[in-house]
Amino acid sequence: MRFFVFSTLLLLSSLSFAGSYSDIPDTFFEKLNSENPENAIEFLYETNQWASKNEDQVTNLKAQVKNLNALVGKYLFHELISEKKVGSRYVHLIYLVGYERQPLRFEIKVYKTGKKWRFQGISFDAELTNDIENQANMNLLK
């Protein structure tokens, strides 16, 4: 069964972290692994004056995150599997996020303005295993 989770891009976040950009996903995953996983989305949207204006989008994404445990089981872990830096001010992070039923892929983007890192966007889906299988099959043809 294919499972697709809503994907969203958040622009021009006002959330700032003076430390490492990893503080942003670390806080997100800490909140995702709580009694109220929708707080992880609140954490992101509350800090983004542009994205938070779209209340329907916020509500929809929070509902999807809240229902993840019912769909794929309990959250187990997250592991960084790809990190693409573009210059010194933009980073695209891809995480393998383990649930009891299956892994999901979460992509988090961060952007540095001045001396502070800001959350830039997030997407998540269940296509990671399909992508890995396709890549493995492509390697057979080489």
Side-chain angles (χ1 to χ4, degrees):
M1 175 177 134
R2 285 184 68 180
F3 162 75
F4 176 76
V5 179
F6 176 76
S7 173
T8 185
L9 175 64
L10 303 178
L11 299 174
L12 302 172
S13 170
S14 61
L15 172 61
S16 301
F17 287 89
S20 169
Y21 58 79
S22 65
D23 293 344
I24 296 169
D26 288 348
T27 301
F28 172 79
F29 287 116
E30 179 182 312
K31 292 180 180 292
L32 187 67
N33 186 26
S34 70
E35 290 292 318
N36 299 305
E38 64 273 19
N39 289 343
I41 299 303
E42 285 183 20
F43 159 71
L44 300 175
Y45 273 93
E46 285 175 356
T47 62
N48 188 317
Q49 65 180 348
W50 304 105
S52 63
K53 293 177 183 176
N54 188 344
E55 292 180 25
D56 290 339
Q57 187 177 34
V58 175
T59 301
N60 187 18
L61 190 55
K62 284 171 58 176
Q64 289 181 22
V65 168
K66 184 177 181 178
N67 291 327
L68 281 177
N69 288 346
L71 294 169
V72 292
K74 182 182 174 189
Y75 171 98
L76 301 172
F77 66 88
H78 68 276
E79 183 177 337
L80 180 65
I81 59 173
S82 179
E83 177 180 35
K84 177 63 178 168
K85 294 180 181 179
V86 180
S88 62
R89 297 188 173 270
Y90 188 88
V91 184
H92 184 127
L93 305 161
I94 302 175
Y95 289 86
L96 169 70
V97 181
Y99 284 86
E100 291 173 313
R101 179 176 173 232
Q102 72 186 78
L104 300 180
R105 170 180 39 212
F106 278 70
E107 298 186 41
I108 298 175
K109 299 95 179 168
V110 292
Y111 173 61
K112 187 175 185 180
T113 60
K115 296 180 182 179
K116 298 180 180 183
W117 286 97
R118 294 182 174 183
F119 170 76
Q120 188 69 23
I122 186 168
S123 62
F124 55 99
D125 62 46
E127 298 300 315
L128 178 65
T129 55
N130 292 337
D131 290 348
I132 292 169
E133 182 179 337
N134 290 338
Q135 185 63 43
N137 288 330
M138 291 299 293
N139 288 341
L140 288 174
L141 301 174
K142 290 183 179 180

